[in-house]
Amino acid sequence: QHMKSPNCDGASPCESGPIKVMSYNVLCRICDKDGYDRWPQRLPHLQEMIAKYDPDLADRPRYAAWTPRARDNDIRFDRLAVEDGLSESAIHCMLQDSKGFMWFATEDGLNKYDGYAFTIFRHDPQDSASLSESFVRCIHEDPPGAIWAGTWNAGLNRLEAATGEFTHYRHSADNPDCLSHDNVLCLYTDRAGTLWGGTAAGLDRFEPTTGRFIHYQHDPANDHSLSDYAVVSIHQDTSGQLWVGTWSGG
């Protein structure tokens, strides 16, 4: 949805009020009366702003206010590129964390965006606490607020927010309790708080108290095992069942 103050032409900063609210829910971008972009952290802040500038819209159900609808090609796209500080142009995954920051997984680093500038985390061979690999395939925030990054061929990373250092979880053929494969394709936390990871070798369940990974893998001799080796998507439905999408096995 787009909202303009009476003095706004939609292309330049407004005299007063917001120029636009783009996208939906908490993944919204606002340009305030001074022309500065703001990335809000909570939907209620936006609801208050709507109530101030458009009371009729505020009275509608929330889903109606925030569901984007394409009418006559009126959707506008703002761009963030390498020229704006993004580390690389191939974006494999995006996340808005509980603090409002945007995270982007690229083939040359993990990008954190605060609405003004990027902080980039890359692999540094001279720093054992850096990201294990700059090619980041997926990003996830767990319920306590830790950021996890799955990489292409270098395992799983957990970012320690206080220090900016990463804890690494790698595959080792000599350790049956480690990550099943170093290609981590997706991450998900279920409603019980359990972290699941999809890798090129199956589905992994992480036990944080022991650091152990439980593996669920494809077995050609077992019709009730995973249908394929590579797991690319995970989701828990409203009944509590876990759904697992594979690369080529449905």
Side-chain angles (χ1 to χ4, degrees):
Q1 302 284 357
H2 292 259
M3 296 185 301
K4 301 177 183 178
S5 76
N7 300 318
C8 179
D9 62 8
S12 58
C14 299
E15 294 291 331
S16 62
I19 290 181
K20 59 183 180 296
V21 177
M22 301 184 67
S23 189
Y24 64 100
N25 269 341
V26 292
L27 187 52
C28 302
R29 192 172 186 177
I30 294 176
C31 187
D32 68 11
K33 65 180 180 180
D34 298 316
Y36 296 105
D37 289 329
R38 309 295 187 196
W39 287 91
Q41 298 180 11
R42 298 290 188 272
L43 183 58
H45 295 290
L46 297 178
Q47 293 296 103
E48 293 172 4
M49 185 172 289
I50 291 172
K52 179 179 179 181
Y53 290 102
D54 195 338
D56 293 336
L57 186 60
D59 290 337
R60 300 178 192 175
R62 180 171 295 181
Y63 72 87
W66 295 103
T67 302
R69 295 186 298 272
R71 295 189 302 272
D72 301 324
N73 296 319
D74 64 351
I75 295 177
R76 171 182 171 180
F77 294 90
D78 287 347
R79 299 179 181 181
L80 291 173
V82 173
E83 294 77 10
D84 302 300
L86 190 67
S87 66
E88 206 266 342
S89 58
I91 310 297
H92 288 266
C93 184
M94 295 185 290
L95 167 75
Q96 186 177 36
D97 67 22
S98 57
K99 297 178 181 178
F101 295 107
M102 292 296 302
W103 297 81
F104 304 96
T106 79
E107 296 182 11
D108 186 30
L110 176 64
N111 291 235
K112 178 183 178 182
Y113 184 60
D114 63 4
Y116 302 96
F118 288 91
T119 300
I120 300 171
F121 301 91
R122 290 187 175 97
H123 173 63
D124 180 356
Q126 306 302 317
D127 183 1
S128 61
S130 69
L131 196 65
S132 62
E133 161 63 44
S134 292
F135 191 146
V136 181
R137 181 64 180 81
C138 54
I139 323 167
H140 181 69
E141 182 183 22
D142 64 19
I147 299 296
W148 296 76
T151 67
W152 190 259
N153 209 36
L156 183 61
N157 297 255
R158 185 184 68 217
L159 176 61
E160 307 295 338
T163 63
E165 298 180 341
F166 289 89
T167 300
H168 305 145
Y169 301 88
R170 299 293 302 269
H171 172 72
S172 172
D174 299 327
N175 181 4
D177 297 328
C178 70
L179 193 68
S180 62
H181 198 284
D182 274 338
N183 283 347
V184 181
L185 307 176
C186 62
L187 296 164
Y188 185 80
T189 299
D190 64 23
R191 288 195 291 276
T194 301
L195 179 68
W196 299 82
T199 78
L203 177 68
D204 284 8
R205 175 166 58 88
F206 180 61
E207 294 186 344
T209 55
T210 63
R212 178 189 179 203
F213 290 88
I214 310 299
H215 310 305
Y216 304 87
Q217 297 176 309
H218 174 60
D219 179 358
N222 182 359
D223 291 340
H224 295 287
S225 69
L226 276 178
S227 58
D228 191 26
Y229 293 100
V231 172
V232 296
S233 57
I234 309 166
H235 181 74
Q236 186 177 33
D237 65 22
T238 55
S239 67
Q241 290 186 327
L242 202 67
W243 293 75
V244 179
T246 65
W247 184 261
S248 60

